[in-house]
Amino acid sequence: MQPMIVAMQMCSGVCADENINQLKQLLLKLPKTRPLLVCLPESFLVFGKSGQDALAVAKQSDYYQQQLSALCRLHDIWLAAGTLPISANNDRYFAASLLFNSSGEVLAQYNKIHLFDVDVADGTGSYRESNFTQAGENVVVVDSPFGKIGLTVCYDLRFSGLFSALQRQGAEVILVPSAFTTVTGEAHWQPLLKARAIETQSYVIAAAQAGQHENGRATYGHSIIISPWGDVLSELANGIGFIGCQPDLNQLHAIRRDMPVQSHQRFREHLL
């Protein structure tokens, strides 16, 4: 059976256990196709009122990783666990995206590189991820039955150099778990995702948070899957649920062969 990738849209709250229960209910509705990769949004495990909430969960990260591992085995799925907080040094945590295989093994950990320290004209107003989050340093690409997977998180989307680095390392499918604000989402979400897909000639899978959250924040939703040609293959505007696609890597390789933009690249950014 041709491999399938699913992007889950969630509305996570401040309680990690309740968010795990929301995930369990969604997993019961998965398609029967295997192998299957399930992609979760940023902050799926805890969408707290402050960084202190995430720090508290980070101290229990092993416990929650064990739960996620068990869910992979139970449902025979690969899982790209959006972000969950994992303890770093100096009372900070990594916004870590973990990739599990269907045996529940963690194959990779990507720590969010670009931190969202911005002012936005919304109900929250000011965001300072660096107050509690330790920035990552490594570009991560992983072999899988779904193609070579490149890992990013949310605000990374605005930095094309990271995506170019992923493509140079062989990425064919790039994941963008996100919790975009409604203001920035309405303005930039789809244009940026399309641009990254077209530039890298890769599938882009963006699982998003959606709706009004317990912590007072509002997120844009619009989980989306985009082809290497820039076509929107599937999108879920609002609500909790999921969308899916079966990547055609032969088509991807044909696009790269017919328009070999990477070999034409005259600028080679050095990233980390």
Side-chain angles (χ1 to χ4, degrees):
M1 216 177 263
Q2 186 178 350
M4 186 173 191
I5 302 176
V6 161
M8 281 199 166
Q9 189 156 282
M10 299 178 68
C11 186
S12 297
V14 300
C15 176
D17 291 330
E18 290 180 5
N19 295 329
I20 288 288
N21 287 335
Q22 181 184 154
L23 172 60
K24 288 178 178 178
Q25 293 304 309
L26 285 166
L27 293 178
L28 293 174
K29 303 174 183 178
L30 288 174
K32 302 299 183 184
T33 304
R34 297 294 184 276
L36 178 67
L37 169 63
V38 176
C39 304
L40 305 182
E42 182 181 29
S43 302
F44 80 94
L45 183 59
V46 56
F47 204 32
K49 295 180 180 179
S50 74
Q52 295 286 0
D53 293 334
L55 275 175
V57 173
K59 295 175 182 178
Q60 305 175 69
S61 65
D62 288 346
Y63 166 73
Y64 289 109
Q65 287 182 54
Q66 290 168 10
Q67 290 203 51
L68 296 172
S69 179
L71 288 172
C72 290
R73 294 191 297 271
L74 175 64
H75 294 282
D76 187 26
I77 58 171
W78 287 57
L79 183 69
T83 63
L84 63 159
I86 293 180
S87 294
N89 296 322
N90 304 319
D91 293 324
R92 291 171 183 262
Y93 61 87
F94 292 113
S97 186
L98 302 181
L99 182 66
F100 295 80
N101 65 16
S102 56
S103 298
E105 301 167 314
V106 176
L107 299 186
Q109 175 177 332
Y110 166 72
N111 299 323
K112 185 178 183 180
I113 291 174
H114 299 100
L115 303 183
F116 193 57
D117 287 359
V118 304
D119 298 319
V120 177
D122 65 2
T124 300
S126 180
Y127 300 82
R128 296 293 183 269
E129 281 189 336
S130 63
N131 286 345
F132 292 94
T133 309
Q134 178 68 44
E137 298 181 349
N138 298 320
V139 177
V140 178
V141 177
V142 187
D143 284 319
S144 81
F146 314 92
K148 292 184 178 180
I149 297 174
L151 301 180
T152 76
V153 175
C154 200
Y155 190 49
D156 285 332
L157 179 59
R158 295 183 181 273
F159 301 90
S160 61
L162 172 57
F163 285 73
S164 294
L166 289 166
Q167 201 280 341
R168 290 197 299 273
Q169 290 189 21
E172 298 164 319
V173 176
I174 301 178
L175 310 185
V176 193
S178 297
F180 253 59
T181 71
T182 53
V183 172
T184 57
E186 288 171 358
H188 301 146
W189 175 246
Q190 189 171 124
L192 284 169
L193 289 163
K194 279 192 164 189
R196 300 295 89 87
I198 293 166
E199 290 166 354
T200 63
Q201 299 172 310
S202 302
Y203 284 92
V204 169
I205 315 293
Q209 294 281 356
Q212 188 66 45
H213 298 264
E214 187 181 0
N215 63 5
R217 284 184 56 181
T219 52
Y220 183 60
H222 292 264
S223 295
I224 196 168
I225 297 173
I226 301 174
S227 80
W229 192 247
D231 297 320
V232 175
L233 301 180
S234 190
E235 182 176 10
L236 177 60
N238 303 301
I240 296 171
F242 57 82
I243 53 176
C245 81
Q246 292 180 291
D248 185 345
L249 296 184
N250 290 328
Q251 180 190 42
L252 179 148
H253 296 147
I255 289 170
R256 292 184 177 183
R257 180 197 64 225
D258 294 344
M259 190 178 291
V261 294
Q262 289 304 313
S263 65
H264 296 159
Q265 174 65 265
R266 298 293 296 277
F267 296 92
R268 294 289 180 179
E269 305 93 337
H270 176 70
L271 181 64
L272 305 175

